[in-house]
Amino acid sequence: MHDAARPLITSREIERVFAAARKHGAAALAAPITDALKLADVNRRVIGSIGRQNVFAMQTPQIFRRELLIQAYEQVSKDSLIVTDEVSTIEQIGGKVVIVPAEDHNFKITFASDLPVAEFILKQRALASKLRPAAV
């Protein structure tokens, strides 16, 4: 699965996730969290911190063995569960998904203000590829 709202995906990232999914049965691209994370009460007062060393923001692609995904969808439907993505669907049946840490920008285009940032990244990639020496 890949989310069309993430147009910055690179072929290298897709290949890395695909290789991990072939090996483990399920894999997803994810970005390590770099921000400090805080828990808040109902009044939005900080009540604690969340360690970020093993926390990731899920992205796409998310790649699974077909049979595993079908089984997960059937169970989620049978139990009338609400899930946020295919990874959480696999989690519901006790499946394991390997995280492939993102190595490049792959953020979701959500707001109009995201478009100039995406455009800048794409221009930088194009410039970098022009400057890269040709393979011999």
Side-chain angles (χ1 to χ4, degrees):
M1 310 287 169
H2 182 63
D3 186 343
R6 293 182 187 275
L8 299 176
I9 190 66
T10 65
S11 57
R12 169 143 170 76
E13 297 288 51
I14 294 168
E15 290 166 1
R16 292 176 57 238
V17 177
F18 184 73
R22 283 186 62 115
K23 182 176 180 180
H24 300 283
L29 193 67
I33 296 297
T34 57
D35 295 325
L37 300 173
K38 301 296 179 184
L39 292 171
D41 64 17
V42 296
N43 296 314
R44 294 195 175 151
R45 284 181 281 208
V46 174
I47 59 172
S49 297
I50 300 171
R52 61 184 172 208
Q53 63 276 11
N54 291 313
V55 180
F56 292 82
M58 298 310 297
Q59 298 183 351
T60 60
Q62 298 178 0
I63 302 174
F64 314 94
R65 286 200 177 107
R66 184 175 188 266
E67 304 79 32
L68 180 64
L69 190 56
I70 289 171
Q71 178 188 357
Y73 278 138
E74 287 172 350
Q75 190 65 46
V76 164
S77 177
K78 179 181 161 218
D79 296 343
S80 299
L81 300 172
I82 296 173
V83 293
T84 57
D85 63 355
E86 282 70 24
V87 170
S88 59
T89 305
I90 300 298
E91 286 178 280
Q92 292 296 327
I93 63 166
K96 304 296 181 209
V97 180
V98 171
I99 287 178
V100 177
E103 294 179 347
D104 207 338
H105 296 284
N106 185 33
F107 64 89
K108 186 183 279 189
I109 305 294
T110 306
F111 305 104
S113 60
D114 294 332
L115 292 171
V117 177
E119 184 178 11
F120 175 79
I121 291 168
L122 292 171
K123 285 180 180 177
Q124 292 302 306
R125 286 180 184 169
L127 180 62
S129 70
K130 287 180 185 176
L131 297 176
R132 211 172 288 129
V136 178

